[in-house]
Amino acid sequence: MKNAIIEKGKIVVKEKPDLKLEDKDGAIVKVCGCGLCGSDIVKLREHISPEGTVLGHEIVAEIVEIKSITNFKVGDKIITSHHIPCGKCKYCINGNVSMCTHFKGTNIYPGGFSELVYVSEEHLQNVAYLIPENLTEIEASFYEPLGCCVRAVKRANLRKDSTVLVVGLGSIGILMAQALNAFGMDVIGCDLIPERINFLKELGIDALHVKDLPERLEADAVFMTSGADKAIDTALKAIRNGGTILVFSSTPQNFGYANNEIYYRELTVLGSYSPSPADLKDSLDLLQSGKVKVKGISTPYELKDIQKAFDDTVANKIMKAYITIGKN
């Protein structure tokens, strides 16, 4: 089987022995395609993952071998997430599922940018679903990233009809704006790239260039989906006193929010990371119902062109890449 591994700071396609289920429970799946996540780019660019790592987790796949108590069978096309919380530790009990040690330790193997992947029985039981008939494979690949956005919306715990500014309209910003809208918020998006502003407008959600934001927007919440350091200034100018800033991005210089801004203005600043199984189920419902639309967000690339997909995403030539894989 072919898979794409990290090698000397690049993504290189290599041939590896095919995976076999052997005596394990779970399934071997043939990956149809896998979305390229911003976290994959950070792991490569910042040298977080070691040499030989297979990145990718937003998979759409077909079961080719299975040993499971679930109702899945060979030939089923499924989506799955990659992490599963234990549900019993102090993190899970307090609602911080993505901090759970078990959550961080579970994964699909070897990674989504591979022709074949092992999906454990635990994954099949908790976070795997058949692809709905009304979704294309590329649309279904948004199951996990949209789940992250659902998680963020829930964590912010906003009142319905709250005014929310989404800073950064990359793929996550577009998803986040729609998720907030689906949960009953009054949403405004902002970005520097006109095409992305227009993309959100065409979905029926207000969007502006950053320079066109009102001097005093006084948003109830600001959702940070941009990794630009200057986005912090935008958030602090736009948020009302007593408002909430939800951070769903990392910044290159690891700049933070000034203590006095938080203290004197009574701001709530919180982060959100990965979804729970319940968030993922809600994500699938939003996709299947059409309340969140993802057509046109992703650009497909073949596995052999995966480095170009990384490069084009970083250069803002595309919003998001979807790596078509398959095994002939």
Side-chain angles (χ1 to χ4, degrees):
M1 67 179 189
K2 291 183 176 66
N3 56 33
I5 66 169
I6 296 176
E7 186 174 277
K8 297 179 180 178
K10 297 286 186 179
I11 298 291
V12 180
V13 178
K14 296 280 189 176
E15 191 74 39
K16 299 287 185 180
D18 281 359
L19 292 177
K20 299 293 183 183
L21 195 57
E22 297 175 340
D23 60 349
K24 298 189 292 292
D25 290 340
I28 301 297
V29 299
K30 177 176 65 175
V31 180
C32 306
C34 181
L36 175 58
C37 178
S39 68
D40 296 321
I41 294 171
V42 171
K43 288 172 184 175
L44 177 67
R45 186 177 57 196
E46 303 299 324
H47 308 288
I48 295 171
S49 297
E51 293 275 298
T53 297
V54 179
L55 297 172
H57 53 267
E58 300 172 2
I59 67 168
V60 178
E62 180 181 335
I63 295 173
V64 295
E65 188 179 359
I66 188 167
K67 180 184 175 186
S68 172
I69 64 171
T70 64
N71 292 325
F72 293 117
K73 63 185 185 302
V74 171
D76 283 345
K77 284 193 174 181
I78 66 167
I79 44 177
T80 184
S81 184
H82 51 319
H83 298 314
I84 307 151
C86 72
K88 298 177 287 187
C89 70
K90 64 181 178 181
Y91 300 111
C92 289
I93 290 170
N94 285 285
N96 307 117
V97 294
S98 57
M99 298 297 105
C100 166
T101 302
H102 185 76
F103 182 95
K104 292 174 180 290
T106 51
N107 213 328
I108 55 176
Y109 178 82
F113 299 134
S114 176
E115 288 184 320
L116 295 174
V117 162
Y118 168 66
V119 177
S120 76
E121 174 70 4
E122 191 175 12
H123 285 83
L124 293 175
Q125 290 187 36
N126 291 281
V127 293
Y129 290 92
L130 292 172
I131 298 175
E133 291 183 359
N134 66 329
L135 296 180
T136 65
E137 290 177 1
I138 292 182
E139 289 170 336
S141 72
F142 283 89
Y143 160 71
E144 191 275 340
L146 178 57
C148 294
C149 297
V150 169
R151 166 81 172 152
V153 174
K154 291 179 182 178
R155 274 184 60 73
N157 194 29
L158 303 173
R159 294 170 61 91
K160 190 175 179 181
D161 295 324
S162 293
T163 298
V164 184
L165 176 67
V166 177
V167 180
L169 299 179
S171 60
I172 285 293
I174 296 293
L175 293 178
M176 192 74 79
Q178 292 187 80
L180 284 159
N181 186 63
F183 276 79
M185 306 304 158
D186 182 10
V187 185
I188 305 166
C190 71
D191 201 279
L192 298 171
I193 301 174
E195 291 81 4
R196 297 182 179 184
I197 295 167
N198 291 333
F199 193 101
L200 189 60
K201 283 182 175 179
E202 289 174 3
L203 291 171
I205 298 175
D206 288 342
L208 301 168
H209 193 283
V210 172
K211 65 179 177 61
D212 294 328
L213 285 172
E215 185 65 26
R216 292 185 61 82
L217 179 60
E218 297 213 329
D220 298 303
V222 175
F223 276 53
M224 298 282 295
T225 57
S226 167
D229 291 317
K230 290 183 178 179
I232 294 175
D233 293 335
T234 300
L236 289 173
K237 289 177 181 177
I239 193 70
R240 67 165 171 82
N241 292 343
T244 297
I245 298 174
L246 188 290
V247 181
F248 192 86
S249 59
S250 58
T251 53
Q253 302 299 321
N254 197 27
F255 291 155
Y257 295 84
N259 181 76
N260 285 359
E261 289 274 0
I262 297 171
Y263 173 53
Y264 287 110
R265 298 181 63 191
E266 287 194 347
L267 300 178
T268 298
V269 180
L270 73 157
S272 188
Y273 189 50
S274 286
S276 70
D279 302 324
L280 290 162
K281 178 63 170 64
D282 289 343
S283 166
L284 185 59
D285 290 343
L286 289 174
L287 288 170
Q288 190 171 11
S289 67
K291 291 181 180 178
V292 171
K293 296 178 173 62
V294 295
K295 185 177 180 181
I297 295 177
S298 287
T299 300
Y301 291 75
E302 294 182 16
L303 183 61
K304 65 182 178 63
D305 299 320
I306 189 169
Q307 182 62 55
K308 179 173 171 51
F310 272 74
D311 294 341
D312 287 353
T313 307
V314 171
N316 285 328
K317 292 182 179 179
I318 61 168
M319 196 181 306
K320 183 178 177 67
Y322 174 82
I323 311 303
T324 59
I325 302 177
K327 189 173 188 296
N328 298 324

Coordinates of all heavy atoms in Angstrom, one line a residue, residues 6-11 44 47 51 307:
I6 N 6.2 11.8 6.6 CA 7.1 13.0 6.8 C 8.5 12.5 6.6 O 9.0 11.5 7.2 CB 6.9 13.6 8.2 CG1 5.5 14.1 8.4 CG2 8.0 14.7 8.5 CD1 5.2 14.7 9.8
E7 N 9.2 13.2 5.7 CA 10.6 12.9 5.5 C 11.4 14.1 5.2 O 11.1 14.8 4.2 CB 10.7 11.9 4.3 CG 12.1 11.3 4.1 CD 12.2 10.3 3.0 OE1 11.9 9.1 3.4 OE2 12.4 10.6 1.8
K8 N 12.3 14.5 6.1 CA 13.1 15.7 5.9 C 12.3 17.0 5.6 O 12.6 17.8 4.8 CB 14.2 15.5 4.8 CG 15.1 14.3 5.0 CD 16.1 14.1 3.9 CE 17.0 12.9 4.2 NZ 18.0 12.7 3.1
G9 N 11.3 17.1 6.4 CA 10.5 18.3 6.4 C 9.5 18.4 5.2 O 8.8 19.4 5.0
K10 N 9.4 17.3 4.5 CA 8.4 17.2 3.3 C 7.5 16.0 3.5 O 7.7 15.2 4.4 CB 9.2 17.1 2.0 CG 10.1 18.2 1.7 CD 9.2 19.4 1.2 CE 10.1 20.6 0.7 NZ 9.3 21.7 0.2
I11 N 6.5 16.0 2.7 CA 5.6 14.8 2.7 C 5.9 14.0 1.4 O 5.8 14.5 0.3 CB 4.1 15.2 2.6 CG1 3.7 16.0 3.9 CG2 3.2 14.0 2.5 CD1 3.7 15.2 5.1
L44 N 3.7 19.4 10.4 CA 4.8 19.4 9.5 C 5.7 20.6 9.6 O 6.9 20.5 9.7 CB 4.2 19.2 8.1 CG 5.2 19.2 6.9 CD1 6.1 17.9 7.0 CD2 4.6 19.3 5.6
H47 N 7.6 20.9 12.8 CA 8.4 19.7 13.2 C 7.9 19.1 14.5 O 8.7 18.6 15.3 CB 9.9 20.1 13.2 CG 10.4 20.8 12.0 ND1 10.6 20.1 10.8 CD2 10.8 22.1 11.9 CE1 11.1 21.0 9.9 NE2 11.2 22.2 10.5
E51 N 9.9 12.0 12.0 CA 10.1 11.4 10.7 C 9.3 10.1 10.6 O 9.3 9.3 11.6 CB 11.6 11.1 10.5 CG 12.5 12.4 10.4 CD 12.5 12.9 9.0 OE1 12.9 12.2 8.0 OE2 12.1 14.1 8.8
Q307 N 2.2 17.0 -1.4 CA 3.1 18.1 -1.0 C 2.6 19.4 -1.6 O 2.6 20.4 -1.0 CB 4.6 17.8 -1.4 CG 5.5 18.9 -0.9 CD 5.6 19.1 0.6 OE1 5.8 18.2 1.3 NE2 5.3 20.4 1.0

